Amino acid sequence: MFGDKDAKEEKQQKSQAAYAEVERLEALSPIQLASEVMTRGFGPGGPADTVAPLARGTSIRKLLQMFEPDGGSDSSLHDRLYDIVADSVQVLEHASLLRPDGTVGSQQGLAFYSATRWGRAALERNAVERVLHGESL
């Protein structure tokens, strides 16, 4: 009986945390958001950091997982988060920091992206946001 209550409370806490994270991300400017996606997704320890050389980059689905607490989201929240991350990837692509690296099937979130040489240099110099503002490395 107490285990069910604890599990329900834990699920509710995860759901609240997921909603808070999405609201935090939605409050960021497009440049701030794209900078965070680039740094967390393609920087050290991010999903793209673990991709083998010459393999495809990382998928939007993997980038989404950085922002979703385990078991904490419902489908509407997942859709909001997908839009946030996908929009950020587009900003990064337009700034030549990311490049498309193929797709697998037609499922949502299975397009792959890799950091360009320019993108890796911006990460190394902690200059992603500066580059997104149109400044030089």
Side-chain angles (χ1 to χ4, degrees), residues 30-40 88 92 123 128-130 132:
I31 287 176
Q32 290 171 320
L33 183 57
S35 180
E36 183 167 341
V37 168
M38 182 74 177
T39 302
R40 289 179 62 182
S88 296
L92 293 163
L123 282 168
V128 172
E129 195 165 335
R130 192 170 68 230
L132 291 171

Side-chain angles (χ1 to χ4, degrees), residues 1-123:
M1 187 170 216
F2 287 113
D4 289 341
K5 184 179 178 184
D6 290 343
K8 187 176 179 180
E9 285 179 13
E10 182 179 348
K11 185 175 180 178
Q12 186 177 13
Q13 287 174 347
K14 285 182 179 182
S15 180
Q16 289 171 345
Y19 275 95
E21 178 67 354
V22 168
E23 289 174 1
R24 181 188 74 81
L25 294 170
E26 288 177 332
L28 297 174
S29 73
I31 287 176
Q32 290 171 320
L33 183 57
S35 180
E36 183 167 341
V37 168
M38 182 74 177
T39 302
R40 289 179 62 182
F42 295 86
D49 192 37
T50 59
V51 174
L54 302 179
R56 286 190 177 136
T58 195
S59 66
I60 291 178
R61 184 177 287 174
K62 289 282 187 191
L63 295 172
L64 281 173
Q65 291 172 357
M66 297 182 314
F67 298 104
E68 284 184 312
D70 293 332
S73 69
D74 59 35
S75 62
S76 67
L77 190 65
H78 179 82
D79 291 346
R80 284 172 60 193
L81 191 55
Y82 178 87
D83 287 344
I84 291 167
V85 172
D87 289 351
S88 296
V89 167
Q90 185 178 31
V91 169
L92 293 163
E93 187 179 350
H94 287 207
S96 299
L97 298 178
L98 293 183
R99 69 170 185 268
D101 214 359
T103 59
V104 175
S106 61
Q107 268 188 309
Q108 182 183 41
L110 288 182
F112 289 82
Y113 293 86
S114 293
T116 62
R117 289 177 296 154
W118 177 253
R120 289 190 302 272
L123 282 168

